Amino acid sequence: MSERITRALVRDVELGGVGTLALVTLDNQAGPTKPNTLGPGGMAELRTALEGITARARAGEIVAAAVTGKMFHFAAGADLHGAAAITTEADARGIAETGHEVYALLTDMPVPTFAYIGGAALGGGLELALHATYRTVAAPVRNIGLPETFLGLIPGWGGTFLVPHLVGIENAVKVIIENPLRNNRQLDATQAVQMGLADAVLDSADFLAQSLRWSAAILREEVQVNRPDPEDPQVWQQVIEGARAKVDQRLHGAAPAPYRALDLLEVASRGDREVSYEAENDALAELILSPEFSAGVYAFGLTTGRAKKPAGAPDSALARPVRSVGIAGAGLMASQLALLFARRMKVPVVMRDLDDERAQRGLSFVHAEVDKLAESGRIGADEANRLRSAVTVTTDLADLAGKDLVIEAVFEELQVKKTVFAELEQVIAPETILATNTSALSVTAMAAGLNHPERVVGLHFFNPVAQMPLVEVVRAEQTDDAAYATAFAVAKECRKTAIAVADAPGFVVNRLLVRLLGEVLGSLEDGTDVQVADAALRPLGLPMGPFQLLQLVGPAVAEHVLDTLREQLGDRYPTSPGLRRIVEDGARFVEFEGRPGAGSPVNMQIGSYFGSRAEQAGAQSETELLNRVRDALAQEVDLMLAEGVVGDREDIDLGMIMGAGWPFHLGGITPYLARTA
C-alpha cells in the first residue's frame, strides 16, 4: 500500500503587535474523514518545513512557530500499515530515529512553538504536539492519547520521556499503559487540559483564530502556563513498580509492549532526553518486527475500518427516525440504557416498571450517574440538568405509547420477555421499533405470535453499558430492513460498534465466552486443581481470569446461560454439579468487597465443590487445559461460521475484541486459533 503523503504547508500569520508566526498545517488532502499520518514522505515534508522555519527564526524573521492539522484531525502518528510491512531491524530503527530527529526541530527551535490541536491527536501525532512549547485544544476533541501499547508498540517518538516530565509519572502511566489496556480509552479536550497534556481549551467555531490570539497573549506575557516541579526519584520508582505489578496481574507476561514502556519510563526518570530517545529507538526497532505488532495492526484495521461500516447492515436511508425511547424495566441494565440514550441520542426516555419502588430506584441510579459525570467535569451543569429531565419513570404501560423505539430490559427468561412484548403491542404504534436487549435468547421466539413481528430486533448492549463499545444487532426471522437499519442507526448514535448477527443461541460473544467457561468448569469436574485452572489461560492475556469473570457475571446467571445453551446447542456446553452447589450455597469464586474485578484473588476453597468426574477423567495440566480451551473455541467458531451466525470470521474477531476485551496483541480470536492449532 503506497503512502498517502501528509503535506506540511507553511504560511505566515501576523500576530497583532507581536510579530510573525510561521504556521505549519498538516494535510494529507484526502478530506476530513482520512486522518493525517506520517510515513517517510510525510516526515520528509515536515522536516523540510521545520528546517526552513528554524533558519528563519535564527535570522530573526519570525517570533514564533506553530503546527496544526486539518478539520477533525491533528495527526494520527505513524503510517501503521507501512510500519507493519517492514522486515529488517535497520528499517524499523530508521522509523524511530527519523521521528526523533524531525520532532526535535520543533523543541529546539530558537523561538516559542505552539501546537493547535483541532482534531484527533493520537500516537505520534500527540507526540508531535508534545514537542511544542505550548498546546491548545478545541473543545469538541475527544480522541487524544497514546495507544501504542494497545497495538504492540511503545510511544517511540519521545512520548515516554516527554509525558512524565510534563504531567507527572502517575498520569504518564495512565496515558501510556492503563488507558490503552482499558480497550484503548482516550482523553477528551477537558481531560487533556486537566492532566496537563494541553494548556487551554478553546471554542471550535473559530479555533485557529482563538489559538493565534492565545499565542499572542503568551508572547506578550499576558498569559502564563505553569509546569510541575520535577518529581522525587523515589516516588517515580514506586509508581513504576506499582504499575508493573498491575500489568503483570493483567497480562502475566503475555504481551511485551507494556513492559517495555515501563522500562522506558524508568529510563526517563534520569532526565536525559538523548538517552531516553536512544532507548526508544532500541525498543521500537524490536517491537515493530514482533508478531504482537502484526497482530495488533490486523485488530486495529478491524476496529477502525470494519467497525465503521458494519457488514450486513441495510442501507442507512431505510432507518426510521428515533425521537423518543421507551424502556420496559427500570433495573440496572435498563437504567444504564436510559442514560446512554438520553446522553448520546439526546432524546426523552421513559422507563416503565411494575411498581413505584422499582421505578424510583432506577431513576435514582440515573441521577447518581449524572452527578458522577458532573463532579468529574465530563459534563457541565446545563447538560446534567438536561439529562435529569430527559429520563422519567412510570408504572403505566400506556406511557410507552407514542415512542419511536421501545426496548425491553427485563429478566432473562423467554416467557417473561414474550409476555412483555405481547403487552407492549397493545399500546404502541404499528411502526414503533420493538427491541430486546437479550444476551442469549431467541429473538424470533420472542416475536412469535405478535401482530407485527417484522419490527422486532435484537439490540444486545454489554454491561457496563457506558464502557463496553459493542452492540450485537440481531436479525430475527421476520425482521424487516427498516427495523434492522434503525437498530444500526441507534447503535451508531450511541457511539457503539455494531456487528450484524443472526438469531442464534448466545449470538457471538456470549456463545464463545460461555464455551470457554464451560471447558474450565468441566476441567474442574475432571479433577483439575483450582490453582492450575486459574493459571492455564494467562497466556491469552484476557482482561480477567475465568473465575473473576464467573463471579462478575454471577454464578446463578452463569449457570442459567450454560443450561440455556446446552438445551439449544448440545452437551458441549456441559453440566456442572459443582456450579450448581456453589449457587445453592451462595459461595464465591473470588474474594472481593463491593464488586469483583480482574484483581480479585481466587477463592481456592471452591475446589471442594468440583471433581464429579475425577475418577473417570483425571486432572489436566496448565498446557492441557489451555489446549482444551483453544480446541473448543476453534470448534465453536467453525460451527458459527457454518451456521451463518455472522457473515465473515472478521465479525467474530471484531465482536470478541470489542465485546470481550480479546487482546489486540493476539490479533483477533480466529487468526490466533489458526496460529496455535
Side-chain angles (χ1 to χ4, degrees), residues 280-317:
E280 285 184 349
N281 291 341
D282 292 340
L284 203 59
E286 177 185 324
L287 292 172
I288 282 177
L289 300 178
S290 70
E292 288 81 9
F293 175 55
S294 178
V297 170
Y298 167 76
F300 179 76
L302 291 178
T303 58
T304 56
R306 196 174 186 88
K308 292 180 180 178
K309 296 180 180 178
D315 186 345
S316 60

Side-chain angles (χ1 to χ4, degrees), residues 149 154 160 169-170 172-174 176-178 181 235-270:
T149 55
I154 48 92
T160 65
I169 186 60
E170 287 193 23
V173 166
K174 183 175 183 179
I176 294 172
I177 308 290
E178 293 177 1
L181 289 180
V235 172
W236 194 300
Q237 188 61 36
Q238 289 172 348
V239 171
I240 289 178
E241 288 174 1
R244 199 180 298 277
K246 289 181 180 178
V247 169
D248 211 36
Q249 188 179 63
R250 164 74 184 270
L251 295 176
H252 304 285
Y259 294 96
R260 292 303 297 271
L262 286 169
D263 293 341
L264 291 167
L265 287 172
E266 198 165 4
V267 173
S269 67
R270 304 175 197 172

Side-chain angles (χ1 to χ4, degrees), residues 107-452:
T107 296
D108 298 337
M109 205 167 284
V111 295
T113 57
F114 300 84
Y116 305 148
I117 305 171
L122 297 168
L126 178 57
E127 287 173 296
L128 172 61
L130 294 174
H131 279 78
T133 320
Y134 305 100
R135 286 156 293 283
T136 64
V137 59
V141 176
R142 63 175 189 265
N143 299 111
I144 299 171
L146 295 172
E148 285 89 344
T149 55
F150 189 57
L151 299 169
L153 297 178
I154 48 92
W157 287 343
T160 65
F161 177 79
L162 295 170
V163 174
H165 288 288
L166 187 65
V167 303
I169 186 60
E170 287 193 23
N171 282 329
V173 166
K174 183 175 183 179
V175 172
I176 294 172
I177 308 290
E178 293 177 1
N179 283 356
L181 289 180
R182 290 175 179 164
N183 226 9
N184 197 21
R185 187 175 295 180
Q186 293 163 9
L187 304 173
D188 61 27
T190 301
Q191 291 168 327
V193 170
Q194 288 173 343
M195 184 177 284
L197 287 174
D199 302 312
V201 179
L202 302 175
D203 221 16
S204 61
D206 56 348
F207 173 67
L208 181 57
Q210 286 192 62
S211 294
L212 291 167
R213 286 195 292 272
W214 187 86
S215 300
I218 286 283
L219 295 172
R220 287 194 295 264
E221 299 184 356
E222 297 170 356
V223 173
Q224 291 188 339
V225 174
N226 297 317
R227 301 294 183 211
D229 295 328
E231 286 191 298
D232 185 307
Q234 189 173 355
V235 172
W236 194 300
Q237 188 61 36
Q238 289 172 348
V239 171
I240 289 178
E241 288 174 1
R244 199 180 298 277
K246 289 181 180 178
V247 169
D248 211 36
Q249 188 179 63
R250 164 74 184 270
L251 295 176
H252 304 285
Y259 294 96
R260 292 303 297 271
L262 286 169
D263 293 341
L264 291 167
L265 287 172
E266 198 165 4
V267 173
S269 67
R270 304 175 197 172
D272 189 320
R273 188 182 84 178
E274 296 310 314
V275 169
S276 279
Y277 285 11
E278 187 62 25
E280 285 184 349
N281 291 341
D282 292 340
L284 203 59
E286 177 185 324
L287 292 172
I288 282 177
L289 300 178
S290 70
E292 288 81 9
F293 175 55
S294 178
V297 170
Y298 167 76
F300 179 76
L302 291 178
T303 58
T304 56
R306 196 174 186 88
K308 292 180 180 178
K309 296 180 180 178
D315 186 345
S316 60
L318 297 173
R320 294 174 185 163
V322 176
R323 296 166 294 244
S324 59
V325 175
I327 302 178
L332 179 60
M333 198 67 188
S335 302
Q336 292 181 81
L337 290 172
L339 180 55
L340 177 75
F341 296 145
R343 187 179 181 200
R344 298 303 186 201
M345 299 175 69
K346 301 188 185 305
V347 297
V349 182
V350 178
M351 289 190 290
R352 184 261 179 179
D353 217 316
L354 297 175
D355 56 58
D356 284 331
E357 182 181 351
R358 296 185 211 190
Q360 289 301 323
R361 192 184 305 131
L363 188 61
S364 296
F365 174 87
V366 172
H367 287 179
E369 291 300 302
V370 171
D371 290 343
K372 290 178 188 176
L373 290 170
E375 288 166 6
S376 68
R378 295 178 65 188
I379 61 173
D382 289 346
E383 175 67 358
N385 289 332
R386 185 191 70 80
L387 290 173
R388 291 189 193 98
S389 62
V391 180
T392 56
V393 295
T394 184
T395 58
D396 188 350
L397 197 68
D399 288 339
L400 300 185
K403 301 295 178 282
D404 298 314
L405 167 72
V406 176
I407 182 169
E408 70 76 22
V410 298
F411 184 67
E412 190 76 351
E413 186 70 54
L414 181 60
Q415 192 54 51
V416 173
K417 292 179 184 289
K418 283 177 67 71
T419 300
V420 168
F421 271 8
E423 292 174 347
L424 285 169
E425 196 170 48
Q426 302 305 309
V427 298
I428 62 175
E431 64 273 12
T432 296
I433 303 298
L434 194 54
T436 170
N437 187 53
T438 182
S439 61
L441 300 175
S442 170
V443 181
T444 300
M446 283 181 220
L450 296 179
N451 294 324
H452 296 284

